[in-house]
Amino acid sequence: MKILVPVKRVIDYNVKPRVRADGSGVDLANVKMSMNPFDEIAVEEAVRLKEKGVATEVVAVSIGSAKAQEVLRTALAMGADRAILIESDAEVEPLAVAKLLAAVQAEEQAGLMILGKQAIDDDSNQTGQMLAALLDLPQATFASKLEVAADSVTVTREVDGGLETLKLDLPAIVTTDLRLNEPRYASLPNIMKAKSKPLATRAVADFGVDVTPRLETLKVTEPAKRVAGVKVADVDELVAKLKSLGVAA
Amino acid sequence: MKTLLWVEHEDGGIKDATLSSVTAAARIGEVHLLVVGYDVGAVATQAAAIAGVQKVHVADDVAYAHALAENVAPLIVQLMAGHDVFVAPATSNGKNIAPRVAALLDVMQISDILSVEEDGSFTRPIYAGNAVATVRSRDAKKVVTVRGTAFDKAAREGGSAAIETVASTGDRGVSAFVSAVIVRQERPELTSAKMIVAGGRALKDSETFAQHLFPLADKLGAAVGASRAAVDAGYVPNDYQVGQTGKIVAPEIYLAVGISGAIQHLAGMKDSKTIIAINKDADAPIFQVADIGLVGDLFQVVPELTAKL
Ligand SMILES: Cc1cc2nc3c(=O)[nH]c(=O)nc-3n(C[C@H](O)[C@H](O)[C@H](O)COP(=O)(O)OP(=O)(O)OC[C@H]3O[C@@H](n4cnc5c(N)ncnc54)[C@H](O)[C@@H]3O)c2cc1C
C-alpha cells in the first residue's frame, strides 16, 4: 500500500509571529520556517507503517514556493521515498490545496492519505476533510492511534469529551493530532541520503485546478495585548485578591 | 440571508457551543437549526425553544447516531439548496463536518470566526491567535465555524420555531463507529466554565496532579484544564488540553499552575477575564499575561491556598 503525506512549510512553532505595521499580514522575512508540526507527525506515522511492512511506499507532497523543497527533503530524510512539489508562489487556500491533492491522488492511487489536522499558520483545520469530500472517501480527523488492516483502518480520535474509535474502508483520509506519535529527528546520514531521493517539481497548471483565492483578506491586525498585572507576595494576598474578585469564602 | 446551523448535542441536551453559534448566525441572517442524530425528538423541541431561531430541521436516523461526517455532510449539502450560509460551532464535531460540507459545495470555509462585521466580512484568529485576519468571502454560499468564546450564548427559552422533519440521506457505508471513551466530568465543562484551574508539566504525574489540583478546583467550583505537556505525559486525558490545538476557553478566572505560558497554550486562554499564575520561575512567560502572579513552589502554595479558601 502506498501512503500519501501532504506537508506544508510554515513559520517555526518556536517563533513568535509579528504582524506587519501596515496590516498586510504576518512578517515572514528572515523568520525561521519549518515543516508544520502536525505534518511531521503524519510523515512519522507513514514511515512507521512502512517500517512495519504495512506500507510499501511513502510519497510526500507539498504545495508552495520553491523553498518548500526544504520540508520535502526533511520528509525524505525522515524516511519518505519520494516527493512531489507543486510549485506556487501565491498562497493557495485549503480548498484549492485539497483539489490539487485530489488530482495527485488520481495519479498515485494511494491506499491511505495522512495529513496534519491543521497548519499552525492559518489554523484552518480543513484540508483533510475537504480532500475526503472531493475524493468521496471516509475521513478520521484528529487521530491519536491508527491500526491498518487489509481493507480498513481503525482510528482512535481525540474528540471534545475524550476518545472515539472509528473504522474506515480503505482508501481513507486520516488527520493527525499531537499524541499520535513523537516524530524522529532525521539523522545526518539520512539527511545526506535524502538529497539523492527523487523530488519531482510540477506546476499548478499541470493539474487543471483553478486556485484563484475565494477569500479576500482585508487586513491583519494584532489582537488586544494583555499587560502583566501585579505580583502578590504570598498565599494570604492571593486569597484576598480572590475574595475581591468575588470568589472564595 | 438564511443560515443553517448544525446543532451540537449530547445525551439529549443541546451544548452551549450551539448557543454561541446561534448568536453568530443571527448576526448573519435568519437562523435555521439542523438537529441530526438518532432519537433526537427531544433535542429538536429544545432547539425550537432557543431565542431567535426561526426554523428547526430534524433528521432522525440511526445512520446519524455518531455524527459521522460521511453520512451527515450529504444531508447538509442537500439542505443548503435552500440556505445561504452553513454555520457550525468550532467543536470537534463541527470541525470534522464543516470542511467536508464546504468542499462538496465548492466553498472555501472561514474557520473559527470571532465576529461578523457590518459589511459581511468576518474576523478570525491566525498564527495561534497572534494575529487576527479580517476576511471576506467571494463564494456565493458560505461556510463558517464559530469560536464559542467570542459570542454570547443565546437564551435557551423564548423561541417557538416550527419543526420540520427531513428525510434521511442514509448510511454511506464507508465508515463505522466502533467505540468511545467519553469521560463524564462531575466538574463544570471546560469551554463553558466560569473558572478554570489548569496544571502543567510541573505537576509530575497523574496522582500528584489529582492530589493538588482537584481539591483546589472543587473548593472553587472550577473546571480543570491542562497544558499539552501535562496531557502528553498522561497526567490527565486529552480533553483537558487548553491551547491552539486544544480547547479554547475564556472563563472569568483562569488559574495556571506550573504552566510556563508557551504561545500555543496562551492561544487557548488569553481571552480569560482574569489570569492568575502560580509558577516558581519569576521569568516564566505566563507572568507577562497574568493579572495576578505568585512566584512560588506550587507544592507549598497550592495546598496552603486550598486550605485557606
Ligand atoms: C503544534 C503544536 C501545538 C501545540 N499545542 C498546544 C496546546 O494546544 N496547548 C498547550 O498547552 N501546549 C501546546 N503546545 C506545546 C507548547 O509549545 C508547550 O510545550 C507546552 O504548553 C508546555 O507545557 P507546560 O507549560 O506545562 O510545560 P513547561 O513549559 O515545561 O513549563 C513548566 C512550568 O512549570 C514551572 N514549575 C516547575 N516546577 C514548579 C513548581 N514546583 N512550582 C511552580 N512552578 C513550577 C516551571 O517554572 C515552568 O514554567 C503545542 C506545541 C506544538 C509544537
Side-chain angles (χ1 to χ4, degrees), chain A residues 37-147:
Chain A
F38 289 100
D39 304 347
E40 271 187 327
I41 296 172
V43 173
E44 177 66 34
E45 196 64 19
V47 170
R48 286 188 194 183
L49 286 168
K50 191 182 169 199
E51 286 166 350
K52 278 197 253 174
V54 175
T56 48
E57 192 186 21
V58 176
V59 183
V61 189
S62 192
I63 292 138
S65 72
K67 286 190 175 144
Q69 283 190 30
E70 296 161 15
V71 296
L72 287 170
R73 290 288 171 207
T74 304
L76 294 170
M78 288 173 73
D81 298 290
R82 61 188 169 88
I84 304 167
L85 170 64
I86 304 177
E87 220 176 303
S88 164
D89 285 327
E91 225 175 280
V92 186
E93 291 172 345
L95 179 64
V97 168
K99 288 179 182 177
L100 288 166
L101 293 174
V104 171
Q105 168 63 2
E107 293 176 2
E108 297 286 344
Q109 299 290 320
L112 190 62
M113 284 150 271
I114 312 179
L115 298 84
K117 76 165 179 180
Q118 77 191 68
I120 61 164
D121 51 1
D122 67 12
D123 284 330
S124 287
N125 196 330
Q126 299 174 0
T127 306
Q129 298 88 314
M130 288 180 158
L131 178 61
L134 296 173
L135 295 170
D136 196 17
L137 292 177
Q139 67 186 52
T141 47
F142 326 142
S144 65
K145 195 173 161 215
L146 207 151
E147 277 168 273

Side-chain angles (χ1 to χ4, degrees), chain A residues 13-228:
Chain A
Y13 80 96
N14 276 311
V15 176
K16 174 144 169 58
R18 295 204 186 286
V19 176
R20 281 196 216 107
D22 65 0
S24 63
V26 166
D27 195 357
L28 295 178
N30 305 313
V31 165
K32 186 178 179 212
M33 305 289 280
S34 300
M35 191 192 298
N36 179 42
F38 289 100
D39 304 347
E40 271 187 327
I41 296 172
V43 173
E44 177 66 34
E45 196 64 19
V47 170
R48 286 188 194 183
L49 286 168
K50 191 182 169 199
E51 286 166 350
K52 278 197 253 174
V54 175
T56 48
E57 192 186 21
V58 176
V59 183
V61 189
S62 192
I63 292 138
S65 72
K67 286 190 175 144
Q69 283 190 30
E70 296 161 15
V71 296
L72 287 170
R73 290 288 171 207
T74 304
L76 294 170
M78 288 173 73
D81 298 290
R82 61 188 169 88
I84 304 167
L85 170 64
I86 304 177
E87 220 176 303
S88 164
D89 285 327
E91 225 175 280
V92 186
E93 291 172 345
L95 179 64
V97 168
K99 288 179 182 177
L100 288 166
L101 293 174
V104 171
Q105 168 63 2
E107 293 176 2
E108 297 286 344
Q109 299 290 320
L112 190 62
M113 284 150 271
I114 312 179
L115 298 84
K117 76 165 179 180
Q118 77 191 68
I120 61 164
D121 51 1
D122 67 12
D123 284 330
S124 287
N125 196 330
Q126 299 174 0
T127 306
Q129 298 88 314
M130 288 180 158
L131 178 61
L134 296 173
L135 295 170
D136 196 17
L137 292 177
Q139 67 186 52
T141 47
F142 326 142
S144 65
K145 195 173 161 215
L146 207 151
E147 277 168 273
V148 183
D151 52 9
S152 70
V153 57
T154 301
V155 184
T156 301
R157 310 173 53 223
E158 295 201 355
V159 295
D160 286 339
L163 297 170
E164 178 189 78
T165 303
L166 301 180
K167 190 173 173 194
L168 314 179
D169 291 351
L170 293 177
I173 280 92
V174 173
T175 77
T176 62
D177 216 318
L178 294 168
R179 280 161 285 276
L180 182 58
N181 60 50
E182 224 174 286
R184 71 193 66 190
Y185 290 102
S187 67
L188 197 57
N190 284 340
I191 292 172
M192 297 313 290
K193 248 202 287 184
K195 292 191 173 148
S196 55
K197 286 186 180 176
L199 191 163
T201 301
R202 310 271 300 266
V204 167
D206 289 356
F207 298 93
V209 171
D210 180 6
V211 296
T212 315
R214 306 292 187 82
L215 301 184
E216 185 187 357
T217 300
L218 304 176
K219 64 171 188 260
V220 175
T221 54
E222 240 178 287
K225 266 215 176 70
R226 285 194 88 102
V227 284

Side-chain angles (χ1 to χ4, degrees), chain B residues 27-53:
Chain B
R27 301 246 166 94
I28 301 170
E30 217 175 279
V31 185
H32 294 193
L33 301 187
L34 172 60
V35 175
V36 195
Y38 180 47
D39 198 11
V40 287
V43 179
T45 311
Q46 292 168 50
I50 297 173
V53 173

